[in-house]
Amino acid sequence: MAANPALIAQRLAQAALTLLAVIIVSFVLIRLAPGDPALLLAGDSGANDAAFVEEIRRDLGLDQPIAVQLFRYLKAVLSLDFGLSYRDRQPVLDIVLERVPATLLLTTCAFILSLLAGIGLGALAARRPGSWLDSGITALSVMFFAMPMFWIGLMLIIIFAVNLGWLPSYGMLDPGVHGFWPSLRDLLAHMTLPVLTLGLYYMSIQARVSRAALLQVSGKEFIRTARAKGMAPSLIWRDHLLRNALLPILTIAALQAGHLIGGSVLVETVFAWPGMGRLAFDALMARDYNVLLAVFMLSSLGVIVVNLLADIAYQLIDPRVNLRAGA
């Protein structure tokens, strides 16, 4: 069944307002945060007298009231002009877009891992509730959920990079590797630990949600009717259980897709992964406001797009969602 155009138009309007609110709130909060980029830049240049600092502030436009700065920034963003980096004096959009592929690669692979492994483990646990397999999967999920993400990363580095020496512990590519297949193998080796670190945490959440959703659906009347008719268990799981349990699973997956961007900041810092998360961390330390704002906006845009796709998927999975388009 096709998606409801009215609902999509409504969600697009909400997305535009949400993105505008994110830009405004982020801009104001960053400007109110302690720290002065002009002082940092003056210190880096070795001349931090008051006159020189004030000159830098005027050059960056930081001497204007916040309302004036916000109006100028919104006007520039509408033309896709994110300004120059305070530190590098290069176009911000070029700097951020250079880091986007690395973050997309990391978060997409981690998302696929968490989704497939989480649903698979949740389904295994739901098939035999109360069994040793169910208890083991539940305990494993709670363990990975309770561990801080950076600690998981550090433990994986100690085990697989330091002690065993199987995998590299930092970076994305070895500059000494050339050729397509050697470079691909090197990339996969560098990706393994960051993807596992990011994926294991969200896999634990997905496994618990999938188990609960499948157990809830398994007690419904139509499932008991299908079993009474002698339908094969595999068909019941594929055509009835999984399909009707997909809505809560999809909801959590959409939320996780947004959280992955935030989680990537820690993971990219631990593994020196050259993505947007690492760029945001470096920009925060340097008080590079323009870069931070661009990262926040693009990250928010990604979350909004994912949630819009989730709304469309709801309608395809459950046509009754169309009836709530005006809700």
Side-chain angles (χ1 to χ4, degrees):
M1 185 173 182
N4 188 341
L7 182 59
I8 295 177
Q10 179 183 350
R11 294 294 188 266
L12 285 173
Q14 292 175 352
L17 292 176
T18 301
L19 187 60
L20 178 62
V22 167
I23 295 173
I24 294 174
V25 172
S26 300
F27 187 93
V28 174
L29 290 179
I30 287 178
R31 287 300 193 274
L32 295 178
D36 189 347
L39 284 174
L40 290 177
L41 291 173
D44 291 341
S45 65
N48 56 353
D49 60 279
F52 185 63
V53 171
E54 189 60 30
E55 182 181 346
I56 293 178
R57 288 179 60 82
R58 284 196 303 270
D59 182 55
L60 299 178
L62 299 175
D63 58 331
Q64 300 293 326
I66 292 182
V68 175
Q69 295 181 45
L70 176 59
F71 176 76
R72 290 179 176 176
Y73 185 76
L74 290 175
K75 184 179 178 181
V77 166
L78 289 177
S79 60
L80 297 180
D81 179 12
F82 295 90
L84 297 177
S85 167
Y86 294 168
R87 181 178 55 182
D88 301 327
R89 306 307 295 170
Q90 295 179 5
V92 168
L93 190 59
D94 294 344
I95 296 174
V96 176
L97 290 181
E98 186 181 353
R99 302 291 190 101
V100 168
T103 295
L104 282 180
L105 180 64
L106 174 63
T107 54
T108 301
C109 291
F111 178 73
I112 294 173
L113 171 66
S114 66
L115 191 63
L116 296 181
I119 293 176
L121 290 175
L124 285 176
R127 275 183 177 272
R128 298 177 179 83
S131 66
W132 65 267
L133 182 62
D134 179 26
S135 300
I137 291 174
T138 301
L140 191 68
S141 300
V142 172
M143 180 182 71
F144 283 122
F145 180 74
M147 290 180 181
M149 196 181 299
F150 73 89
W151 191 84
I152 296 177
L154 292 176
M155 292 302 101
L156 290 177
I157 289 175
I158 292 174
I159 295 172
F160 294 102
V162 177
N163 292 339
L164 298 176
W166 291 352
L167 297 167
S169 60
Y170 64 91
M172 182 176 174
L173 284 171
D174 187 343
V177 176
H178 303 285
F180 177 77
W181 292 112
S183 296
L184 180 60
R185 287 193 296 269
D186 186 59
L187 175 62
L188 293 175
H190 281 84
M191 283 175 52
T192 302
L193 294 184
V195 168
L196 279 177
T197 301
L198 199 55
L200 287 175
Y201 175 81
Y202 293 102
M203 178 204 71
S204 64
I205 302 174
Q206 192 61 259
R208 298 293 300 275
V209 171
S210 300
R211 176 186 179 275
L214 289 168
L215 286 177
Q216 183 181 21
V217 175
S218 65
K220 299 292 184 180
E221 184 68 30
F222 65 89
I223 297 296
R224 292 196 292 268
T225 302
R227 288 170 177 161
K229 289 181 177 180
M231 184 178 290
S234 59
L235 292 179
I236 294 176
W237 272 83
R238 186 189 67 188
D239 297 337
H240 297 286
L241 270 171
L242 284 175
R243 183 180 179 87
N244 286 276
L246 273 181
L247 284 183
I249 293 173
L250 183 61
T251 301
I252 293 298
L255 292 173
Q256 287 181 342
H259 291 166
L260 280 168
I261 300 292
S264 69
V265 176
L266 284 174
V267 173
E268 290 180 6
T269 302
V270 170
F271 291 95
W273 187 265
M276 287 200 306
R278 179 63 183 271
L279 177 64
F281 178 79
D282 293 339
L284 178 63
M285 294 296 100
R287 301 296 190 273
D288 200 338
Y289 293 162
N290 286 344
V291 173
L292 269 177
L293 286 169
V295 171
F296 290 164
M297 198 189 79
L298 288 179
S299 301
S300 301
L301 182 61
V303 174
I304 290 170
V305 170
V306 168
N307 281 274
L308 179 62
L309 294 176
D311 286 336
I312 296 173
Y314 288 157
Q315 299 176 64
L316 299 177
I317 295 172
D318 186 356
R320 292 171 298 179
V321 176
N322 284 321
L323 301 178
R324 300 191 291 272

